[in-house]
Amino acid sequence: MTTDNILIKVTGLQKNFGSLEVLKDINTEIKKGEVVVVIGPSGSGKSTFLRCLNRLEEPSGGKIEFGGVDITDKHVNINKHREKMGMVFQQFNLFNNHTILKNITLAPVKLGIMKKDEAEKKAMELLKRVGLEEKANAYPSQLSGGQKQRVAIVRALAMNPEVMLFDEPTSALDPEMVGEVLDVMKELAQSGMTMIVVTHEMGFAREVGSRVVFMDEGVIMEENSPEEFFANPKNPRLKDFLSKVLI
Amino acid sequence: MSKKAFTALIIAVIAVLAVSFISPAFASAAEAVTEDAGIQAFFVELKDNIIEAFNELKNDIYTVLIKNDNYRHITDGLLVTIEITFAALIIGLALGFVVAIIRSTHDKTGKFKFLNSICKLYLTIFRGTPVIVQLLIIYYLWLGKAGVHENIAAIVAFGINSGAYVAEIVRSGIMSIDNGQFEAGRSLGFNYVQTMIYIILPQALKNVLPTLANEFIVLLKETSVASFIAVKDMMKGANALVGFTYNMNIPYITVALIYLVMVLVLQKGVSLLERRLRNSDH
């Protein structure tokens, strides 16, 4: 197939909340290994777009193909596909009643993907990778925001996903903790993980992104390589947006 | 309840009992002693009266409770009370959980419209009418006619009644869990039921466990109206003693003390539970 390299293909994606049209007509393709950074003003629909990709929000129209399968089809078992789509939330959403290790191993073990000892071994390796192996037996409430978010990333990675979705992963963090999370994401990008990142971190977009997408009013207004995107914005709205965020 | 408040309460109860017990002795002593006999005679009379009252009480306790193994009416009844409470608790928990899950699933996803309206009707009826009316209707209009034993009828009635309260307690627990927990579960590939079982319910239960335990205490006390359908529970035992000893004080106060002790023990358990949960609150 010629589409071998395309992991996610979005065609005519729409989402309404009642009479409010949040996504109007989104068309894009995400290739394997790409790091797509989605930026835009609040209310532009970028988070909704991301949440439609794993159907946490049910799309109102259009098609999302993931690995060649149309996952908006009602007969598709979305849970199976979600296993392959890791998600990291703005509010971390760690399971407060479980230890860090259990947070990470719960899904792989209960879903029958790995045996308990295998999952724990993998969890410890990943925790080591983000520098948190000594927190394995701590509870989420004992961690700082930055540590929680790194654990959340590890939790998603433990499922061996094909793509990672980041929904404003640093927006709820104190400024001094933003760096440690971005570093983990950067390292992840360099390891070849396909990533879609909704963020306000322009530095990250410029440095790590392989493509930057600007969304406003429920449509993709402009997308380009980071160099072109920041040096030569064409859309007047994007120019206006960049003039406000890049001081 | 703090330890100080608790001690104060106990002292107050003892004081009230003591005053009501001794005041007749005062009154009769004051009557018997003439004005010029002096204060000393009054105290002698009072002392005699109190001793007499104590002896009378001892005598009464013996004839009402000890003689002919009369206490068996109350202790046998206690067993029935405990049996009905536990069985009703199990029915209430099972029913309450099912209703809570249906209701919160409907609230979250919009599914189960029909089942949800049935559950709402159930909650409205059983939380909106007195439990004794429900008991009488369930026994005399339904189970009793079908020849079901009154103990079973009481278990069913209290179980269904308690289920309505448990349902709302558990539902509030489920709804109190942040939706982000739910989304995190779903995003990892868990389906709705798995997310409920592995992630939402354990946290929800932990939050509502003290409230559920209180519901259990309420249930224990409520079963005392089971005697209305001739269940031989502790209350019925007390009534029987009143009937053939013509003494009202001792049977009712005994039953009150037994209920009080059970409730205090359970409350102690609840507060220990609460403290443990708070300590492991992560």
Side-chain angles (χ1 to χ4, degrees):
Chain A
M1 273 202 290
T2 52
T3 56
D4 241 1
N5 214 15
I6 291 171
L7 187 60
I8 298 176
K9 185 176 176 183
V10 180
T11 327
L13 179 65
Q14 292 174 0
K15 174 70 188 175
N16 311 323
F17 289 110
S19 61
L20 184 70
E21 275 189 303
V22 182
L23 299 178
K24 283 168 189 157
D25 180 26
I26 306 282
N27 296 285
T28 192
E29 287 174 355
I30 289 132
K31 296 192 192 73
K32 277 182 188 150
E34 232 185 341
V35 177
V36 178
V37 180
V38 184
I39 64 172
S42 55
S44 60
K46 53 193 194 305
S47 274
T48 307
F49 165 63
L50 194 77
R51 289 160 58 81
C52 277
L53 291 180
N54 66 354
R55 273 178 55 192
L56 275 188
E57 299 289 355
E58 210 57 63
S60 312
K63 224 163 86 167
I64 299 164
E65 284 166 71
F66 175 55
V69 181
D70 177 10
I71 58 169
T72 52
D73 187 342
K74 299 285 176 212
H75 301 294
V76 148
N77 181 0
I78 187 64
N79 300 315
K80 278 284 153 213
H81 294 282
R82 281 187 183 138
E83 290 177 9
K84 295 284 151 212
M85 304 172 112
M87 190 161 200
V88 176
F89 300 87
Q90 183 176 354
Q91 298 295 341
F92 330 125
N93 297 345
L94 295 181
F95 306 134
N96 299 319
N97 55 331
H98 291 308
T99 62
I100 299 307
L101 191 64
K102 190 80 189 284
N103 261 277
I104 300 165
T105 57
L106 186 70
V109 172
K110 296 287 184 198
L111 291 169
I113 293 169
M114 290 176 209
K115 292 214 169 58
K116 191 164 175 262
D117 49 343
E118 199 185 339
E120 283 179 357
K121 193 164 155 256
K122 169 141 185 132
M124 290 311 293
E125 276 168 22
L126 287 167
L127 279 175
K128 199 169 175 187
R129 197 164 136 192
V130 301
L132 287 172
E133 78 245 66
E134 79 280 11
K135 297 287 184 193
N137 293 312
Y139 281 88
S141 62
Q142 296 165 305
L143 268 58
S144 72
Q147 290 172 330
K148 281 184 198 170
Q149 196 61 298
R150 282 187 277 159
V151 170
I153 293 171
V154 166
R155 180 175 68 180
L157 284 177
M159 295 290 291
N160 290 321
E162 289 170 22
V163 60
M164 288 280 285
L165 311 174
F166 290 87
D167 188 6
E168 303 202 25
T170 57
S171 297
L173 296 177
D174 289 339
E176 75 268 26
M177 291 169 185
V178 170
E180 62 190 68
V181 172
L182 290 182
D183 284 345
V184 170
M185 290 167 64
K186 198 168 145 187
E187 196 249 352
L188 194 59
Q190 281 158 358
S191 74
M193 176 61 75
T194 312
M195 293 162 63
I196 305 171
V197 185
V198 171
T199 187
H200 296 290
E201 296 294 328
M202 295 303 148
F204 179 83
R206 199 195 299 256
E207 199 185 335
V208 185
S210 39
R211 178 157 49 114
V212 185
V213 172
F214 175 68
M215 281 183 70
D216 195 13
E217 295 182 342
V219 292
I220 294 181
M221 292 260 175
E222 185 161 340
E223 52 184 320
N224 219 328
S225 68
E227 299 79 22
E228 273 296 298
F229 185 91
F230 287 106
N232 271 322
K234 292 172 191 75
N235 187 295
R237 281 187 176 279
L238 173 57
K239 283 183 190 169
D240 180 50
F241 179 72
L242 289 179
S243 74
K244 282 175 187 155
V245 294
L246 299 175
I247 308 162
Chain B
M1 209 186 325
S2 78
K3 208 156 202 167
K4 254 186 199 157
F6 180 70
T7 319
L9 183 77
I10 295 291
I11 290 172
V13 169
I14 292 172
V16 168
L17 285 177
V19 166
S20 61
F21 178 70
I22 288 172
S23 58
F26 262 99
S28 61
E31 240 169 65
V33 178
T34 50
E35 270 172 42
D36 47 327
I39 196 78
Q40 230 167 343
F42 169 76
F43 276 115
V44 171
E45 189 74 17
L46 179 63
K47 194 183 116 200
D48 289 350
N49 282 348
I50 289 176
I51 289 170
E52 198 182 315
F54 259 114
N55 285 334
E56 208 172 300
L57 179 66
K58 245 165 67 184
N59 210 21
D60 279 354
I61 288 177
Y62 176 76
T63 45
V64 175
L65 290 181
I66 316 286
K67 204 171 137 195
N68 302 330
D69 281 353
N70 278 353
Y71 65 89
R72 292 291 298 269
H73 288 275
I74 288 180
T75 50
D76 288 353
L78 174 62
L79 293 181
V80 174
T81 291
I82 291 173
E83 173 195 311
I84 290 176
T85 304
F86 270 101
L89 177 78
I90 289 165
I91 292 178
L93 283 178
L95 196 60
F97 260 83
V98 172
V99 171
I101 287 171
I102 290 172
R103 294 259 294 131
S104 53
T105 303
H106 175 267
D107 288 356
K108 273 184 198 286
T109 65
K111 285 179 191 164
F112 299 146
K113 258 204 181 91
F114 180 66
L115 280 177
N116 182 56
S117 35
I118 291 180
C119 291
K120 261 167 111 170
L121 184 68
Y122 159 62
L123 296 180
T124 308
I125 291 174
F126 280 86
R127 290 175 359 128
T129 55
V131 65
I132 182 158
V133 178
Q134 295 163 17
L135 179 76
L136 293 176
I137 289 176
I138 284 176
Y139 184 64
Y140 288 114
L141 271 58
W142 177 36
L143 292 177
K145 273 185 178 172
V148 175
H149 192 275
E150 62 268 13
N151 286 15
I152 306 289
I155 288 169
V156 170
F158 289 115
I160 296 177
N161 176 270
S162 181
Y165 290 94
V166 170
E168 287 301 90
I169 293 169
V170 174
R171 188 175 75 99
S172 77
I174 292 173
M175 299 312 277
S176 74
I177 303 300
D178 180 49
N179 204 37
Q181 297 282 313
F182 192 79
E183 290 187 343
R186 296 306 306 269
S187 79
L188 286 165
F190 285 127
N191 62 31
Y192 183 89
V193 175
Q194 288 169 325
T195 309
M196 268 291 167
I197 293 173
Y198 296 131
I199 295 157
I200 306 298
L201 279 180
Q203 297 186 61
L205 270 189
K206 192 174 144 178
N207 290 353
V208 299
L209 213 49
T211 325
L212 275 181
N214 277 324
E215 167 59 23
F216 175 53
I217 291 174
V218 170
L219 181 62
L220 171 71
K221 290 182 289 181
E222 263 182 356
T223 58
S224 61
V225 299
S227 56
F228 272 76
I229 59 166
V231 169
K232 291 185 183 58
D233 75 332
M234 191 159 61
M235 204 57 217
K236 187 82 181 171
N239 279 333
L241 283 185
V242 171
F244 62 74
T245 62
Y246 307 111
N247 184 319
M248 290 205 172
N249 307 340
I250 291 171
Y252 289 145
I253 287 179
T254 306
V255 166
L257 287 175
I258 294 175
Y259 273 116
L260 186 63
V261 167
M262 286 197 291
V263 169
L264 288 179
V265 168
L266 287 171
Q267 267 171 355
K268 187 76 193 163
V270 173
S271 70
L272 283 177
L273 188 73
E274 269 180 327
R275 200 173 319 150
R276 267 203 61 179
L277 288 177
R278 223 185 359 256
N279 285 344
S280 69
D281 197 12
H282 293 295

